[in-house]
Structures are given as structure tokens and as C-alpha cells.
Amino acid sequence: MTILPAYQDLPIDPKYPPKTAWGIWGEDDNLGTLNLLTEERVLKATQNVKKGKVFPLNWDLEKPNPPLFGRTVIDHHIRDRGNDAKKFDDVYDNFNTQTSSQWDGLRHVCHHKSNRFYNNISADHILPGPNASDRLGIHHMARRGIAGRAVLLDYGRWRSARDSNYNPLVREEVPVEDLEQVAKEQGVTFQEGDILLVRYGWMEAYEKSGGALPSENLARPDSVGIEASEKTFEWIWNHHFACVGGDVFAFEAFPVKDWDLSCHAQFLGGFGMPIGEMFYLEKLAEECAQDGVYEFLFTSAPLNKYKGVATPPNAICIK
């Protein structure tokens, strides 16, 4: 088992940019922190299955509507394959893997301070051209699969109980001290290799609003999210999470103030840590609030698209 350095001790070699995890799992690594999901940890995670209840985390492919950031609306066609109304196929046009529930893969955002992607990969490896390669493609995640122990921090429920004016549709930075408090009150303890899920309440608020967002600029909508700061980066890394996900569209507070200091740049480009966005956590959170259990077996099967950038999570939690 790899003994991971503390955040303050990154990088492992001065040739790498400060506070990056490049080279920890080898210079040829394409999985980043997913390497923490060892066979032993996956097996242990199955012990969290007590009821056999299954909670899918994929939101509707048609939501949000209209899509954010100028992404395309999925266009679904059903085709009669036999001309006798007995055999059908369906076809998706304009399918953007990041319109709805998604994993941001390691090709999505680079480590901005170095202008390189995780493990010192340049854009030339990703874009078509003579130097193109399959480095960091989403197919690496897909062919490995994602499974392990997940924990849910229901920040939205915790915050709403203390502040009747809380609005997840408005930009607000959530400090890690608040997440620590949520974990304490829920009785959650973290383990190395955990999959961290945070429910901010954004999706519930979006549904209740009928899809109307306060911000009219859908290219830069407002949202609550984790604070992008050195304190957050240290907290996330030192807990050694395998990946993170939430019910918001960026995990961090949006709009991002400085991409050089963003969670996207640090998690994806610096740590090699996938970010889950717009995970549907409502039913799971309701069950957790009822039984007081916030840990479960998590599985995800990314799309096996060679050289892909992102993917729907196809994720479920089992309690």
C-alpha cells in the first residue's frame, strides 16, 4: 500500500509543481486518486450493505433544462428496426456527457499554474495531432471501474435547519470547518480511500424553482459549493479521498473567482482526483436522515469511451 505524503510535503519531487501529487503512482499513471480504491477497501466497503436498498445517483439526462454553459440538449430518436412496430433502437444526437450527472475526468481541466494536466500531460496529448495519445482518457476509469465506501455529508439539511434563508442557488463558499461539523453531527468518520459525497441542496432547490435560476447568465450561473482555498485543498488531500461528488454543477462555489486557485485545477490537474457533479442525492439523503447511517457501498461504471474527457457516472449507492 502506498504511504501518501501529507499536503505540506507535496510534491514528492521538486521537478513537479508545488502541491501536486504527480508521480506518486508512477509517471505513467492515468488514474490518480482512484488508485486508493484497493481490493481490500472495496471488499471492506461491502460490509456497509445491511438492507439491500439501492439508490441510483444519475439525474434525468434532460436536466437541467436549459443546459448550463452552452451545452447541448440531448435529442432522442426511437427507430423502428423492423418496419413492423416490434423492434426498436434508440439514438442520441447532441449527447454531451457533461450536460447532466457527470464525472469530470482528468482531461477536463489542467493544473492552471503549470498549464499541464495531471502527471505532467500537455494539451498536445489530448487534442488531435501528431502528439495525441490516450493519456488520462476516461476509458482508463471505465476499464478499472469505481467501487468503494462512500460517505454522505448532508450539508444542505444541516444548514437549512440553522438558516431559513439558505439558498443553494446563490453563490456561497462552504468552509471545510462546516463540513467537519456536519460529519461530527452525523457520526461520520472518514477512512482513507473514501468517496466523499456532499449534498448542498442545490438539486432540491432547482426542482422546487421549476428550473428557474436566479442568475440569468447560464454560462456563469451562481451556486453554493465548497470554498476554493489552500485550507480546502489540504483538508481534501490529507483525508485521502478517492474522489469527490456533489449535487451541484461544479462542487466548488461558482462562478470560480480564480481558475489558477480553483478546486477544479487542484483536484483534477494537481491531485488526479475525479469530481462528480449533479449527482442525484435526494432519495439517498432522505434514507440517511431516517436511519442515521451515512456510509454505504458505492459503485460507478463510467462510459468506456476511448480518449473521452467526461462521463455520466452510472453510479449507485447500496445500503
Side-chain angles (χ1 to χ4, degrees):
M1 181 179 298
T2 303
I3 299 177
L4 297 179
Y7 183 74
Q8 66 181 13
D9 297 324
L10 293 175
I12 61 170
D13 192 306
K15 69 181 180 180
Y16 299 129
K19 306 305 182 185
T20 63
W22 298 3
I24 285 179
W25 291 283
E27 293 187 349
D28 61 346
D29 177 58
N30 293 294
L31 294 171
T33 52
L34 292 183
N35 284 288
L36 294 171
L37 295 173
T38 62
E39 292 180 359
E40 292 78 12
R41 289 182 178 136
V42 175
L43 180 60
K44 185 178 179 181
T46 64
Q47 298 173 10
N48 291 301
V49 179
K50 309 294 186 182
K51 300 179 179 180
K53 287 192 174 182
V54 176
F55 298 89
L57 304 188
N58 274 32
W59 202 18
D60 301 346
L61 282 175
E62 298 82 6
K63 295 179 181 177
N65 186 25
L68 307 179
F69 308 111
R71 289 172 174 150
T72 53
V73 177
I74 190 169
D75 190 5
H76 180 208
H77 304 276
I78 296 179
R79 294 184 176 180
D80 185 346
R81 303 304 297 171
N83 297 317
D84 57 7
K86 294 181 180 178
K87 294 185 287 292
F88 302 104
D89 284 353
D90 57 0
V91 177
Y92 298 156
D93 291 333
N94 297 318
F95 177 36
N96 186 313
T97 58
Q98 292 177 273
T99 294
S100 188
S101 303
Q102 64 189 271
W103 282 118
D104 283 350
L106 305 187
R107 288 182 157 209
H108 180 49
V109 174
C110 72
H111 180 256
H112 273 52
K113 291 181 180 179
S114 65
N115 203 33
R116 310 282 284 190
F117 292 78
Y118 169 67
N119 246 2
N120 202 29
I121 298 302
S122 70
D124 290 343
H125 283 267
I126 297 171
L127 296 171
N131 296 320
S133 74
D134 70 353
R135 291 299 304 274
L136 309 184
I138 207 73
H139 63 282
H140 293 290
M141 289 171 54
R143 294 173 186 178
R144 185 193 187 285
I146 301 173
R149 176 184 186 254
V151 295
L152 173 69
L153 298 184
D154 194 347
Y155 174 82
R157 196 176 305 268
W158 176 87
R159 176 66 184 280
S160 295
R162 288 157 178 77
D163 181 1
S164 60
N165 294 318
Y166 172 60
N167 184 359
L169 305 180
V170 175
R171 189 186 192 283
E172 182 178 336
E173 298 179 346
V174 176
V176 293
E177 290 87 351
D178 280 5
L179 296 185
E180 286 277 10
Q181 189 62 34
V182 175
K184 180 179 179 180
E185 295 195 15
Q186 291 180 179
V188 169
T189 57
F190 301 119
Q191 300 174 14
E192 184 168 292
D194 276 348
I195 296 157
L196 174 66
L197 302 176
V198 181
R199 177 186 174 271
Y200 296 97
W202 182 89
M203 199 167 285
E204 178 186 41
Y206 176 88
E207 296 277 20
K208 286 183 177 179
S209 74
L213 297 175
S215 173
E216 296 181 357
N217 183 0
L218 296 184
R220 287 177 60 81
D222 287 1
S223 170
V224 67
I226 200 169
E227 174 187 59
S229 67
E230 282 294 308
K231 184 180 291 186
T232 294
F233 303 157
E234 181 175 26
W235 187 84
I236 291 289
W237 176 261
N238 284 348
H239 278 95
H240 300 153
F241 296 122
C243 45
V244 298
D247 65 338
V248 291
F249 54 80
F251 194 73
E252 62 186 304
F254 204 88
V256 171
K257 291 182 177 179
D258 184 347
W259 280 99
D260 285 355
L261 302 174
S262 67
C263 292
H264 273 68
Q266 185 61 37
F267 294 179
L268 297 170
F271 296 159
M273 178 180 291
I275 300 173
E277 298 171 344
M278 290 187 281
F279 279 19
Y280 179 75
L281 301 173
E282 293 307 300
K283 296 296 185 182
L284 176 64
E286 290 174 10
E287 179 75 13
C288 292
Q290 291 174 10
D291 66 11
V293 178
Y294 291 85
E295 60 179 352
F296 20 78
L297 174 65
F298 174 99
T299 69
S300 172
L303 294 181
N304 193 359
K305 179 65 189 79
Y306 185 57
K307 297 184 179 182
V309 171
T311 177
N314 301 315
I316 61 173
C317 288
I318 309 175
K319 295 189 73 173

